[in-house]
Amino acid sequence: EGKPEKAAEKAGELSQDVAELVADGEMAASDGQALTTALVTTFGPLPESGGDNGRGNDRNDDDD
């Protein structure tokens, strides 16, 4: 019982995570492009995020 819309949404979120890793220098641009290409090949055009970019998902917040 597949849920293609939910899978595509998660793939879009993963694509954004990859873009953030590349932007932060934590992943090579070529690796990020390869992952994004694989996601698009598997799921087709990826949906845009719901607009909460950068809110509450900072993984490197070590200011404590």
Side-chain angles (χ1 to χ4, degrees):
E1 188 174 300
K3 297 184 180 183
E5 294 86 17
K6 189 67 170 177
E9 180 181 320
K10 292 294 184 182
E13 291 172 8
L14 179 57
S15 177
Q16 287 186 331
D17 289 343
V18 168
E20 289 176 16
L21 289 170
V22 170
D24 291 343
E26 297 180 32
M27 177 181 287
S30 59
D31 292 339
Q33 183 62 47
L35 286 171
T36 300
T37 298
L39 289 169
V40 171
T41 300
T42 303
F43 295 100
L46 300 175
E48 297 284 329
S49 171
D52 64 349
N53 292 341
R55 292 188 202 157
N57 64 354
D58 291 339
R59 295 184 182 129
N60 293 325
D61 189 6
D62 296 334
D63 294 348
D64 293 341

